[in-house]
Amino acid sequence: MKKNNKGFSLIELIIVLAILSILTLGVSYGVGLLTDKPAKQCAMKLESFISDCRVTTMGKLNAVLYLYMDGDRLMVKKVIDTSSTEHSETVTELGSGIAVSYRVSGDATGSYRTLGGVATPLVIAFDRSSGAFLPLDAMGSDFVGKYCLEIKVEVPGNDKVKLLKLSYLTGKIVLEE
């Protein structure tokens, strides 16, 4: 009686490794959602976009950012005036699976407002000469003379919040953990 005990075939080994790889990716993605990774990445990208907009405005071009939610995705539309008749627009997704809210000056309750959709964006613009934030006048009569003070980015159901503090007099942006 001859026994054929050669061990695992190469195909069996490849299949087992593929299954383990898929399981590992799934677990790491799930752990990433449980932590503050999506919020942190989104807040860092947002800080970079705002800083870039400020630098562009203080240069030769006027730039304005429009922040809005598309479902659970934070979108930013950057509009740059290249001349009196031309402008360029780019729309970028900064993160998904997050919730974004902001706080404005002059609000007696100090509460956060939920970031709206494409029809009601948060408009961020800078003064060309000083680099300071411009008032939110473009957002409507409720915002005339008011400034955005903070932008809060969080993963729903998670306690960890990333906070962007905006100094409207200087244009400085600080990301707090």
Side-chain angles (χ1 to χ4, degrees), residues 107-170:
D107 190 357
T109 63
S111 61
Y112 285 90
R113 299 167 188 241
T114 303
L115 190 60
V118 69
T120 57
L122 172 61
V123 180
I124 296 178
F126 293 92
D127 181 352
R128 184 177 208 138
S129 61
S130 66
F133 285 97
L134 290 176
L136 302 173
D137 296 355
M139 292 177 56
S141 60
D142 291 345
F143 295 94
V144 172
K146 296 182 180 180
Y147 296 89
C148 182
L149 300 176
E150 295 175 345
I151 300 174
K152 181 169 66 170
V153 182
E154 59 188 327
V155 177
N158 193 333
D159 295 355
K160 298 181 180 171
V161 173
K162 301 302 173 199
L163 196 62
L164 283 169
K165 292 200 170 207
L166 311 175
S167 175
Y168 63 89
L169 293 176
T170 62

Side-chain angles (χ1 to χ4, degrees), residues 49-67:
F49 262 84
I50 295 172
S51 295
D52 181 56
C53 181
R54 181 175 184 244
V55 169
T56 301
T57 300
M58 292 181 72
K60 292 185 176 186
L61 305 172
N62 260 344
V64 178
L65 291 180
Y66 298 89
L67 304 174

Side-chain angles (χ1 to χ4, degrees), residues 57-124:
T57 300
M58 292 181 72
K60 292 185 176 186
L61 305 172
N62 260 344
V64 178
L65 291 180
Y66 298 89
L67 304 174
Y68 61 93
M69 295 300 291
D70 183 11
D72 68 344
R73 301 179 308 155
L74 175 62
M75 305 297 286
V76 60
K77 180 170 80 170
K78 183 177 182 181
V79 178
I80 300 174
D81 288 329
T82 55
S83 71
S84 61
T85 59
E86 296 180 25
H87 68 277
S88 69
E89 293 183 9
T90 56
V91 178
T92 308
E93 178 185 335
L94 296 187
S96 62
I98 56 170
V100 180
S101 53
Y102 61 97
R103 193 168 63 87
V104 297
S105 62
D107 190 357
T109 63
S111 61
Y112 285 90
R113 299 167 188 241
T114 303
L115 190 60
V118 69
T120 57
L122 172 61
V123 180
I124 296 178

Side-chain angles (χ1 to χ4, degrees), residues 8-26:
F8 294 108
S9 71
L10 183 59
I11 293 177
E12 290 172 329
L13 187 58
I14 289 173
I15 290 171
V16 168
L17 288 175
I19 291 171
L20 288 175
S21 298
I22 291 169
L23 288 173
T24 303
L25 286 173

Side-chain angles (χ1 to χ4, degrees), residues 32-52:
L33 288 178
L34 291 176
T35 64
D36 62 342
K37 186 176 179 181
K40 184 175 184 175
Q41 286 180 340
C42 181
M44 289 171 57
K45 288 178 187 177
L46 182 56
E47 179 185 24
S48 175
F49 262 84
I50 295 172
S51 295
D52 181 56

